[in-house]
Amino acid sequence: GMEPGARLCLALCLAGVLPAPGCRGAQGRFAYKLLHDLFANYSSALRPVEDTDRALNVTLQVTLSQIIDMDERNQVLTSYLWVRQTWLDAHLTWDKDEYGGIDSIRIPSSYVWRPDIILYNNADEHFGGSMETNVVLRSDGHIVWDSPAITKSSCKVDVSYFPFDGQRCRLTFGSWTYNGNQIDLRNQLDTGDLTDFVENVEWEVLGMPATRNVITYGCCSEPYPDVTYTLLLRRRASFYIFNLLLPCIMVSFLAPLGFYLPADSGEKVSLGVTVLLALTVFQLLVAESMPPSESVPLIGKYYIATMTMITASTALTIFIMNVHHCGPGARPVPPWARWLILHHMARLCCVYEVGESCKSPQRALGGRAGVGDAGGPGESPGEGQVGTEVGGCPWDHCLCHHDSLLRNVGYIAGCFRRHRANQRRTGEWKKVAKVMDRFFMWVFFLMVFLMSVLVLGNAA
């Protein structure tokens, strides 16, 4: 029963006779009385059901507020969640008319029994649950417990397509000690609530579907229900495109230009090695942020392929420079090499003598051949001329040292002939080196272009 004074105060309040502060005072007194009456014979240790054989329904709803961090290397997702749990406490009901129409009160959650629902795939060293917040207790015994929580959950990260990857991270909630016959855990909605989600700079959230699973673990025969939220994430790749991919593409386009450098500059090999070192730095940057798993990320494969290509181009450059610097003692260019490299490949790569153009390849090649072939016979008339002169000289009027003079002139002519033959041979080898340089430059440019297109195509 209610005291007569209190009843009168309530009647006057409801009639609007008493001012608001008086009413508030009455409500406050009722709240104190209600709290005292409710918890006089209540224990927060036991499951609050009338029939201990019946399961208690607990409804779970998770709101994703923010993704704080996704640590790919350690495979941990840190997120900020609001967890709402609702259940019916059979021992905490009251008649609101007896307590001045109080329909709900807010009390510390430690006062009432709470389901021991935790995050199964927790990855935090301090196993922290939810925050100790108040619960809202309604007169029909319904309890709503809203609590914010910063969770660290383990998440299997697949970086095969990094930086164009998407991840699926699961958050599995369930009771630690109560089985399905004691607590029936259900999800309130089919999806996590994303209305208050704060946009993340690195990850785009595609959805957060919720499923209820009933699992029988190896330890026990009873079923254990859990609610699993699957967070579907997609990485925003623009940061990585600008900071990792574009510099690599630009650096790798420098590598074929090593073939274009003149061999006499002596910088061909050092350019290749410098490009290789630059790519190694980028490779290390990627390797530091990735988990050491078997699946190599897409960008890592691209770096490795580019580095292999640049190593091959540097090795080829060394070989071509050996060809270019063939000394005077080099043997002549073999006929097959002259036919393949100096005629066909030179025409293909537009490599001609200085002063000639790609426009008139036939004349250019004809001229080149003429110079090459006329070299041998070209000196013979010289010899013949000397001979004729000598022949024209009457023998009886010749000087006494005519023979030694002839020998010396012949020796000088031979020196010149050998020198010119050596020069021609060296020039031919230089031309071979130049044609091979230009040919490999185009081949490697094509390879870099194809690799870049393949990577971006794979990403798409």
Side-chain angles (χ1 to χ4, degrees):
M2 203 186 294
E3 293 171 26
R7 197 178 290 126
L8 175 67
C9 177
L10 173 66
L12 291 171
C13 276
L14 293 173
V17 177
L18 265 181
C23 284
R24 270 210 295 278
Q27 284 275 33
R29 290 217 329 267
F30 283 131
Y32 272 105
K33 186 176 185 323
L34 173 61
L35 192 65
H36 178 266
D37 292 350
L38 280 178
F39 292 101
N41 296 314
Y42 181 84
S43 167
S44 63
L46 295 173
R47 197 166 54 97
V49 283
E50 296 286 3
D51 183 1
T52 50
D53 293 338
R54 296 282 296 279
L56 174 70
N57 285 330
V58 175
T59 312
L60 182 74
Q61 179 54 31
V62 168
T63 301
L64 179 67
S65 174
Q66 192 181 352
I67 293 169
I68 296 171
D69 180 41
M70 172 67 146
D71 184 357
E72 290 96 342
R73 194 165 181 79
N74 299 313
Q75 308 198 34
V76 172
L77 170 74
T78 310
S79 48
Y80 178 41
L81 307 174
W82 301 341
V83 183
R84 166 173 287 193
Q85 299 169 47
T86 50
W87 66 93
L88 180 69
D89 194 315
H91 303 318
L92 296 178
T93 56
W94 71 90
D95 181 4
K96 54 186 173 187
D97 295 335
E98 284 190 20
Y99 294 95
I102 295 175
D103 186 35
S104 63
I105 56 171
R106 281 145 182 80
I107 51 174
S109 56
S110 55
Y111 283 26
V112 299
W113 174 89
R114 293 171 296 184
D116 57 345
I117 287 167
I118 60 154
L119 181 67
Y120 279 176
N121 57 331
N122 191 27
D124 200 356
E125 62 269 16
H126 315 295
F127 206 101
S130 307
M131 218 172 98
E132 291 289 330
T133 50
N134 285 355
V135 295
V136 179
L137 173 58
R138 293 222 316 269
S139 58
D140 56 0
H142 271 99
I143 296 180
V144 178
W145 182 26
D146 281 323
S147 63
I150 291 177
T151 58
K152 285 189 176 182
S153 55
S154 53
C155 172
K156 189 174 184 295
V157 178
D158 179 21
V159 289
S160 308
Y161 288 97
F162 173 87
F164 305 97
D165 55 332
Q167 304 297 340
R168 300 168 68 90
C169 286
R170 289 185 175 81
L171 297 157
T172 304
F173 294 92
S175 170
W176 190 247
T177 52
Y178 294 107
N179 59 47
N181 303 326
Q182 295 162 325
I183 283 187
D184 189 13
L185 183 65
R186 298 196 170 274
N187 45 307
Q188 194 173 335
L189 301 172
D190 288 337
T191 171
D193 188 2
L194 298 170
T195 48
D196 296 304
F197 178 66
V198 180
E199 283 294 320
N200 188 276
V201 289
E202 190 183 353
W203 296 96
E204 185 185 345
V205 176
L206 303 177
M208 195 182 178
T211 51
R212 178 180 181 269
N213 312 299
V214 180
I215 299 170
T216 307
Y217 292 99
C219 67
C220 339
S221 56
E222 298 88 3
Y224 279 86
D226 69 55
V227 173
T228 301
Y229 291 90
T230 309
L231 189 57
L232 307 174
L233 301 169
R234 186 168 63 203
R235 194 190 300 273
R236 301 180 197 271
S238 51
F239 172 83
Y240 297 99
I241 289 173
F242 280 104
N243 289 293
L244 289 179
L245 205 59
L246 276 183
C248 173
I249 292 175
M250 286 152 83
V251 165
S252 55
F253 268 107
L254 272 181
L257 286 174
F259 289 115
Y260 195 71
L261 259 180
D264 298 321
S265 69
E267 293 290 320
K268 284 166 87 79
V269 178
S270 58
L271 176 71
V273 172
T274 312
V275 170
L276 199 59
L277 283 175
L279 278 177
T280 312
V281 172
F282 283 118
Q283 172 72 16
L284 282 173
L285 279 175
V286 173
E288 269 177 16
S289 58
M290 292 295 102
S293 64
E294 280 188 8
S295 62
V296 181
L298 188 67
I299 195 168
K301 288 176 185 166
Y302 179 56
Y303 284 156
I304 292 295
T306 313
M307 284 159 77
T308 311
M309 195 196 72
I310 290 167
T311 309
S313 79
T314 312
L316 271 171
T317 301
I318 294 168
F319 166 71
I320 290 169
M321 281 182 73
N322 265 325
V323 172
H324 179 273
H325 290 293
C326 270
R331 57 197 186 83
V333 177
W336 65 266
R338 184 175 281 133
W339 177 81
L340 177 69
I341 298 173
L342 293 183
H343 287 145
H344 293 83
M345 275 168 67
R347 199 177 302 171
L348 189 73
C349 303
C350 286
V351 182
Y352 299 105
E353 295 301 332
V354 183
E356 294 171 6
S357 67
C358 292
K359 301 282 169 57
S360 51
Q362 293 303 326
R363 194 168 49 76
L365 282 168
R368 178 76 191 90
V371 170
D373 301 340
E379 279 110 10
S380 323
E383 264 178 277
Q385 246 174 334
V386 174
T388 329
E389 273 178 40
V390 171
C393 164
W395 280 99
D396 48 344
H397 293 113
C398 271
L399 298 165
C400 54
H401 49 261
H402 157 267
D403 284 345
S404 68
L405 190 67
L406 204 57
R407 255 201 318 276
N408 287 345
V409 170
Y411 174 71
I412 293 168
C415 275
F416 268 111
R417 205 177 297 123
R418 276 197 302 277
H419 180 65
R420 276 186 63 183
N422 281 344
Q423 257 186 335
R424 198 168 60 252
R425 263 206 302 275
T426 313
E428 272 193 335
W429 280 118
K430 281 185 177 173
K431 176 100 185 281
V432 166
K434 192 177 176 185
V435 172
M436 285 168 73
D437 253 344
R438 204 60 55 84
F439 174 72
F440 284 122
M441 183 184 84
W442 291 117
V443 167
F444 277 81
F445 259 131
L446 189 70
M447 279 168 67
V448 171
F449 178 72
L450 281 177
M451 269 161 47
S452 307
V453 167
L454 266 175
V455 166
L456 294 170
N458 242 336

